């Protein structure tokens, strides 16, 4: 059966915010109305969960630890060096490749006569 009692009254009653007369009316209504009683049980369930969440144990040293961490100087240079390591390794590989390429080219490269012949052949 649907009841037309406003939910706000049930919330206020559950939180103990109603005046004595209003609270007595709601209590009397809850005794006679099953749908409102079920709603009221749900509301008190929600409120108890909310109250449990409110009572989180505070760590008294939380602020001190956060403050100390904020004031601690960060090792910025180590961070920057770590970020540069892959770039330096890639640069070393690139330089090694260029160096090896030049040396291999000079070993098997063309001498001056054959390069002039190549230029001559290209012009024709
Ligand atoms: Zn009702």
């Amino acid at each position: 059966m649907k009841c037309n009692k406003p939910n706000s009254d049930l919330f206020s009653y559950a939180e103990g915010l109603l005046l004595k007369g209003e609270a007595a009316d709601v209590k009397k209504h809850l005794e006679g109305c099953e749908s409102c009683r079920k709603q009221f049980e749900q509301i008190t369930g929600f409120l108890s969960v909310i109250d449990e969440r409110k009572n989180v144990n505070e760590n008294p040293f939380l602020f001190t630890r956060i403050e100390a961490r904020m004031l601690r100087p960060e090792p910025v240079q180590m961070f920057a060096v770590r970020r540069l390591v892959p770039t330096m390794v890639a640069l070393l590989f690139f330089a090694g490749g260029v160096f090896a390429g030049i040396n291999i080219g000079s070993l098997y490269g063309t001498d001056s006569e054959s390069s002039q012949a190549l230029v001559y052949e290209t012009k024709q």
Side-chain angles (χ1 to χ4, degrees):
M1 187 177 98
K2 189 77 176 173
C3 178
N4 57 0
K5 185 90 176 158
N7 282 348
S8 61
D9 284 355
L10 296 177
F11 271 106
S12 300
Y13 179 67
E15 297 231 61
L17 300 175
L18 293 179
L19 300 175
K20 272 190 177 180
E22 295 170 331
D25 287 346
V26 172
K27 184 178 180 182
K28 190 174 181 181
H29 178 80
L30 286 175
E31 288 170 1
C33 180
E34 189 177 331
S35 70
C36 284
R37 204 169 35 244
K38 284 183 180 176
Q39 258 187 328
F40 181 72
E41 287 170 5
Q42 285 181 336
I43 290 168
T44 52
F46 296 147
L47 292 177
S48 67
V49 169
I50 291 171
D51 284 342
E52 284 175 19
R53 301 285 185 232
K54 279 182 186 173
N55 295 330
V56 175
N57 291 335
E58 295 176 14
N59 186 340
F61 301 109
L62 178 67
F63 177 75
T64 309
R65 286 193 332 213
I66 291 173
E67 185 182 35
R69 194 167 196 170
M70 288 173 67
L71 295 176
R72 187 186 323 151
E74 283 190 36
V76 176
Q77 288 184 334
M78 280 303 295
F79 183 68
V81 168
R82 280 187 189 164
R83 287 185 66 183
L84 285 177
V85 166
T87 308
M88 297 300 270
V89 169
L91 193 65
L92 282 175
F93 273 105
F94 180 75
V98 168
F99 183 73
I102 289 171
N103 283 334
I104 290 171
S106 67
L107 282 177
Y108 300 105
T110 57
D111 56 355
S112 60
E113 289 181 12
S114 63
S115 64
Q116 285 177 353
L118 184 67
V119 169
Y120 180 73
E121 287 176 10
T122 309
K123 283 184 179 174
Q124 286 189 354

